[in-house]
Amino acid sequence: MALGDRELEDVLMERSLRFYDPKLTGEREKAYLVGLEARGYGMSQRDKQRPETYAGLTDEEREEAGAAAARQRRQDWEDRFTLEESLSELSELAGTAGLEVVGSTYQRVVEPNPRTYIGTGKVKEVRRAMRALDCKTVIIDHELSPGQQRSLEAEFGGEEEGIKVLDRTALILDIFAQHARTREGQVQVELALHLYRLPRLTKLWTHLERQSGAAGSGGGKSGGVGLRGPGERQLEVDRRLLKAKITDLQRLLKDVRRHRTIHRRRRESLGLPIVALVGYTNAGKSTVLNYLTSAGVLAEDMLFATLDPTTRRVKLPGLKVHPEIMLTDTVGFIQKLPTNLVAAFRATLEEVSEADVIVHVCDFSNPAWQKQSKAVMQVLRDLDALDGGRVPVVTLWNKLDILPQSEREDVQLMAATEHDMTVAASARSGIGMDDFIAMLEVALGTLLEPVEAVVPYSKGDLLSRVHELGACDFEEYCEGGCFIKARVPDELVNRLEPYFTDDFKKAQTRAAALRLRKGDAAAAALATELDEAQWAAIAKGRHNAVHQQP
């Protein structure tokens, strides 16, 4: 149910205040929020008339394709953030940027106005409200084209009245600029800002006029050697210099990517699996990292508190499979994530693409948590971080402590029974985190291959490596060496291969032959069958050993 106008405005002001960054000082700039919802999701006549849309299809195929496209648009419409949810998030962003939300309005239309994005009547309404509230800043809950931004600024009073029109992208970029701490983060934000500003250049770089004038003062009326060509206008100079700056920053980020690749290769040489924490902004990823590692990473009730990825080598309590892992905290995702920002932060997001296991942290206390989760999974698919579903994903429904006590057990039961590899917990209070670590162990176990080998006593270092990087389920000292049944990463499979038992070699040969004859599915079924029989025998041996103890 939609909120009333007055109630919605109160909620927006409250949320902007809640997410206000306490580190920001001075008088808060007033901001007025504007949202718009384009309601039409059916296929327009224009789409139906495009011959290239369904070229080469029969009438029946064309009808089916059109129906499928309409269903997809309906599904997208149902999965979207509602106008109220999106505006609420915008108010949180405004508060994080240090702005004070003093008013808001919204409009539902079939299609946005191509010139001003919102309708002409709504433009006049916003202008009257801004004057009444003595507000100079308007934030539009969407990315505006340069032309729309200029038109709105002119309609609201222009530069003469100090009017500033920000879109959602500019607001997010401003927050990133405030919170970037490392040199890498600052370079990434600077590149994203320049890419955003390039098509919007007006009088942004007024200092360049003084620079070019000073350069030319030594002689001649043209702008100065290397700065101004014959007849070149100031805007063209600014655009050329901005492009040069973008090129320099892109080159610098290439170096960053190269260094990150070197560091990743070093981490991989340790043989430790990489676990990446991902999730919507303010879902509690840094709190999870702090709970598991005592890393002391900034964890505040604030959007985009973490911009720079933090990686820690972690020894998790009670973890038998891969006792040590590399745990990486990443930047939070958000709906309508600016394209320029994704491009600039690609070096950071590559940490997710290289992960062996992904932990998806959801803020279960947020009413829109399911839509947030879908937005995160879509970004992961866009980055190809899931590797076609081969990378295991553990989902953590975080902030369980915020829910009423009477609901917690039901939520935990729903997570365990209705969803794969999902746990409900609270990283802040520790409720359910033991279950989360156990689920993480299950995911890490999928990275290991079962082996059966007799390791010579002279290869004690190899046996130590099995214990360090894998899980040894059965171990017995024999005349020829130490007989083990274990699960180990690929690197150790190759090193243990010379010591495989004859029975294990035969099982491998049979699986390989079946794969050639019947395909991977049959081989996988056989491997599962052998695996289950093997581990059942181990479990039986463990059971007997326990009950034979005095």
Side-chain angles (χ1 to χ4, degrees):
M1 181 182 295
L3 296 170
D5 290 358
R6 184 67 253 171
E7 186 181 350
L8 175 61
E9 194 162 294
D10 292 340
V11 168
L12 298 181
M13 293 179 186
E14 181 275 326
R15 292 190 77 81
S16 71
L17 183 61
R18 175 190 160 200
F19 283 82
Y20 174 62
D21 188 345
K23 295 190 295 298
L24 299 173
T25 57
E27 186 179 352
R28 297 176 68 191
E29 184 180 341
K30 296 178 180 178
Y32 193 86
L33 308 185
V34 180
L36 182 136
E37 184 176 80
R39 290 179 292 189
Y41 58 76
M43 182 181 295
S44 67
Q45 286 300 118
R46 186 178 63 248
D47 289 334
K48 289 180 181 178
Q49 292 165 1
R50 285 179 181 165
E52 69 274 13
T53 306
Y54 302 112
L57 299 181
T58 65
D59 290 343
E60 186 177 348
E61 290 172 334
R62 189 179 293 112
E63 192 70 28
E64 287 181 7
R71 283 194 300 272
Q72 183 60 52
R73 279 191 291 275
R74 273 194 294 272
Q75 186 62 51
D76 293 343
W77 177 258
E78 291 167 4
D79 291 343
R80 85 200 190 289
F81 283 71
T82 65
L83 184 72
E84 291 82 5
E85 289 167 345
S86 191
L87 270 175
S88 180
E89 187 175 84
L90 187 69
S91 70
E92 296 170 2
L93 289 166
T96 302
L99 299 170
E100 178 187 359
V101 175
V102 295
S104 68
T105 188
Y106 59 87
Q107 185 177 31
R108 287 184 167 93
V109 297
V110 176
E111 295 287 343
N113 187 309
R115 192 179 77 86
T116 56
Y117 187 66
I118 55 177
T120 53
K122 186 60 68 174
V123 168
K124 293 175 183 177
E125 177 191 325
V126 172
R127 181 170 182 177
R128 286 194 300 269
M130 290 175 65
R131 287 180 175 174
L133 295 166
D134 189 28
C135 174
K136 304 291 186 183
T137 302
V138 180
I139 306 176
I140 309 294
D141 189 24
H142 200 272
E143 183 167 347
L144 299 173
S145 69
Q148 288 170 337
Q149 192 171 3
R150 285 192 293 269
S151 297
L152 282 174
E153 284 185 347
E155 292 285 349
F156 293 149
E159 197 175 332
E160 299 76 18
E161 295 186 19
I163 298 298
K164 182 166 56 177
V165 175
L166 301 177
D167 60 10
R168 186 184 181 92
T169 299
L171 185 62
I172 293 175
L173 289 173
D174 184 82
I175 293 169
F176 272 52
Q178 290 180 36
H179 291 176
R181 295 289 177 264
T182 66
R183 176 59 184 152
E184 175 191 346
Q186 291 165 352
V187 169
Q188 289 171 325
V189 172
E190 190 177 357
L191 174 59
L193 279 168
H194 288 336
L195 290 170
Y196 175 80
R197 287 172 178 165
L198 183 60
R200 293 168 172 81
L201 270 180
T202 50
K203 297 180 180 179
L204 288 175
W205 287 15
T206 53
H207 67 281
L208 291 176
E209 296 177 7
R210 294 194 298 273
Q211 178 182 337
S212 59
S217 59
K221 45 192 179 180
S222 69
V225 177
L227 278 177
R228 192 187 294 268
E232 192 172 19
R233 293 177 302 176
Q234 185 61 47
L235 189 60
E236 292 167 344
V237 174
D238 293 351
R239 187 172 287 117
R240 179 163 50 82
L241 291 174
L242 193 55
K243 286 180 178 178
K245 182 67 174 175
I246 288 172
T247 302
D248 290 341
L249 290 170
Q250 288 172 333
R251 189 180 303 117
L252 194 55
L253 278 183
K254 280 184 181 177
D255 293 337
V256 169
R257 293 180 70 179
R258 188 167 64 250
H259 288 306
R260 277 200 174 278
T261 301
I262 293 172
H263 286 306
R264 275 198 298 272
R265 296 295 171 261
R266 286 176 183 166
R267 292 201 297 264
E268 288 171 6
S269 68
L270 295 174
L272 301 179
I274 299 172
V275 178
L277 296 171
V278 304
Y280 211 76
T281 181
N282 203 45
K285 297 179 297 299
S286 297
T287 307
V288 174
L289 180 71
N290 288 338
Y291 177 89
L292 297 175
T293 67
S294 302
V297 174
L298 174 68
E300 296 185 13
D301 192 9
M302 180 194 305
L303 304 186
F304 297 117
T306 302
L307 290 187
D308 306 304
T310 304
T311 301
R312 292 286 186 274
R313 182 169 178 166
V314 185
K315 191 170 227 177
L316 295 179
L319 205 64
K320 299 179 182 64
V321 176
H322 282 304
E324 282 193 309
I325 61 172
M326 302 299 293
L327 193 61
T328 297
D329 189 15
T330 61
V331 63
F333 298 158
I334 197 168
Q335 59 142 342
K336 305 176 188 174
L337 192 67
T339 306
N340 290 339
L341 209 55
V342 174
F345 276 75
R346 186 159 295 278
T348 300
L349 295 172
E350 280 177 358
E351 296 286 339
V352 180
S353 302
E354 296 288 330
D356 298 301
V357 174
I358 291 175
V359 174
H360 179 191
V361 183
C362 306
D363 177 2
F364 195 78
S365 67
N366 192 308
W369 72 272
Q370 290 173 302
K371 296 174 184 178
Q372 292 180 350
S373 296
K374 288 181 180 179
V376 171
M377 295 306 291
Q378 186 56 54
V379 173
L380 291 177
R381 282 190 287 270
D382 292 343
L383 293 170
D384 198 24
L386 302 177
D387 193 21
R390 285 183 287 272
V391 176
V393 178
V394 176
T395 303
L396 173 61
W397 291 353
N398 195 27
K399 304 191 182 181
L400 188 66
D401 58 310
I402 296 179
L403 299 182
Q405 183 75 39
S406 58
E407 297 180 16
R408 295 177 187 175
E409 287 190 10
D410 291 340
V411 171
Q412 288 179 300
L413 182 63
M414 181 173 67
T417 58
E418 298 181 18
H419 300 269
D420 292 336
M421 300 184 73
T422 300
V423 175
S426 168
R428 185 171 65 177
S429 68
I431 300 171
M433 290 302 285
D434 289 342
D435 295 334
F436 166 67
I437 292 174
M439 186 60 71
L440 186 58
E441 182 167 25
V442 171
L444 290 167
T446 64
L447 306 177
L448 305 178
E449 295 290 335
V451 295
E452 187 179 295
V454 177
V455 182
Y457 292 118
S458 60
K459 297 291 183 180
D461 59 329
L462 183 56
L463 191 61
S464 298
R465 200 71 173 154
V466 170
H467 284 283
E468 182 183 352
L469 300 181
C472 193
D473 293 278
F474 184 81
E475 188 174 8
E476 184 179 9
Y477 291 94
C478 309
E479 184 179 344
C482 184
F483 170 68
I484 60 169
K485 287 183 178 180
R487 288 166 287 166
V488 295
D490 289 341
E491 171 221 346
L492 286 182
V493 172
N494 296 331
R495 293 179 61 186
L496 287 167
E497 189 173 5
Y499 313 114
F500 285 168
T501 63
D502 291 338
D503 288 343
F504 188 73
K505 288 178 183 177
K506 289 176 184 176
Q508 279 195 316
T509 303
R510 184 181 163 201
L514 195 63
R515 184 181 293 112
L516 287 173
R517 199 165 64 248
K518 296 186 178 180
D520 288 340
L526 173 63
T528 302
E529 177 188 328
L530 293 172
D531 205 23
E532 288 176 354
Q534 181 175 323
W535 301 133
I538 292 170
K540 184 177 179 182
R542 267 195 192 157
H543 178 80
N544 292 338
V546 168
H547 285 274
Q548 288 168 8
Q549 288 178 355

